[in-house]
Amino acid sequence: MYFSQKKVLITGASSGIGEALAYAFAEQNATVLLCARNETELLRVKAAIKAPCEIFVCDITNYQAVDLMILDIVSKYDTIDVLVNNAGMSQRGLAYETDFKVDERILNLNYLAPVYLTKKVLPLMISRNKGNIIVITSLSGKFGFWQRSAYAASKHALHGFFETLQIELKSHHINTLLVCPGGVKTNISKNALEKDGTPHNKMEELQSKGITPASLAGKILKASANGKKQILVGKAEVYLYYIKKWFPWLFFKLVEGLNGR
Ligand SMILES: NC(=O)c1ccc[n+]([C@@H]2O[C@H](COP(=O)([O-])OP(=O)(O)OC[C@H]3O[C@@H](n4cnc5c(N)ncnc54)[C@H](OP(=O)(O)O)[C@@H]3O)[C@@H](O)[C@H]2O)c1
């Protein structure tokens, strides 16, 4: 098993996709290092894991806290073999109505925080000439969509940064995988920010009828172990990526027609 004995740091491991990834890595007997803000939820996930596991309560937008977390991990585990940049937050609100503070929050969490964390972890990987980085972006990193201007921008930005790393890190044998899911059955739409920054608090159909986090996690581990650079995973919504690529006029016709839903 490719990830056996590897030290895997997962952000956003207290729920949804991060939680499912924690279980999938633990199944391969990796050492699973779980990061998120909610200690109770992290302990719940840890309790379900049989492999070596530790929780790190950390807000990844707090760079000082991230520095301390990395120092703590290195002092205990020596290195990080696999970094999973998963923590993130969505939004629901038309761009021209959305408070700029929402744009800042989303960009800070979804883009700047993973960039900061990756820059802290990379020296550990470069010095050993190996490592795996996994970045959970979104189909929204491939095209704009109603009510998700900051979210789509943050996910597009991840592609710009991490595709550059894919080029720069080849000689260091560090694989970077960009994961672009469509709808996944998690609480992401409930936790999404409204135009005024309050929680959206609704489970939407894209999520309730989406693929399961466990099935996505299985595909992610396989793709990373096989050195893949990008995967698109989901149901019919994945076709929008190909439609935009080959028939952009049709993409805009279809998506504009959704009228904010
Ligand atoms: N579900 C989907 O349909 C879907 C589709 C495409 C992409 N994605 C992406 O998948 C990733 C995971 O989302 P999910 O669907 O699993 O949603 P989720 O259940 O809401 O999980 C989000 C995770 O991020 C953590 N988090 C939020 N703010 C944080 C912070 N400041 N510091 C540390 N951790 C933080 C949350 O934990 P705490 O609250 O405990 O901090 C939680 O564990 C996101 O990047 C999302 O954009 C999801």
Side-chain angles (χ1 to χ4, degrees), residues 49-118:
I49 287 178
K50 305 273 184 297
C53 178
E54 184 168 347
I55 67 161
F56 295 88
V57 179
C58 175
D59 177 344
I60 59 164
T61 63
N62 177 341
Y63 301 140
Q64 233 179 335
V66 170
D67 289 350
L68 291 174
M69 175 177 72
I70 296 298
L71 278 176
D72 193 14
I73 291 174
V74 172
S75 74
K76 289 171 177 159
Y77 298 94
D78 193 37
T79 195
I80 294 168
D81 299 299
V82 182
L83 170 64
V84 185
N85 283 309
N86 164 73
M89 193 176 261
S90 192
Q91 75 173 132
R92 295 295 182 273
L94 296 173
Y96 62 84
E97 291 178 352
T98 297
D99 193 309
F100 181 67
K101 286 199 168 60
V102 171
D103 296 71
E104 282 185 317
R105 272 182 72 184
I106 302 260
L107 265 292
N108 279 337
L109 174 62
N110 292 5
Y111 175 62
L112 289 175
V115 167
Y116 187 85
L117 178 57
T118 302

Side-chain angles (χ1 to χ4, degrees), residues 14-15 17 37-38 59-60 86 151 155 182 184 186 191 207:
S14 62
S15 68
I17 296 169
R37 295 164 305 172
N38 188 323
D59 177 344
I60 59 164
N86 164 73
Y151 183 70
K155 297 297 188 180
V184 188
T186 73
N191 296 332
Q207 273 67 49

Side-chain angles (χ1 to χ4, degrees), residues 22-49:
Y23 300 147
F25 280 111
E27 280 284 307
Q28 292 207 10
N29 200 33
T31 296
V32 208
L33 311 173
L34 310 174
C35 161
R37 295 164 305 172
N38 188 323
E39 185 173 14
T40 312
E41 288 303 302
L42 284 173
L43 287 170
R44 178 187 58 77
V45 176
K46 182 178 186 288
I49 287 178

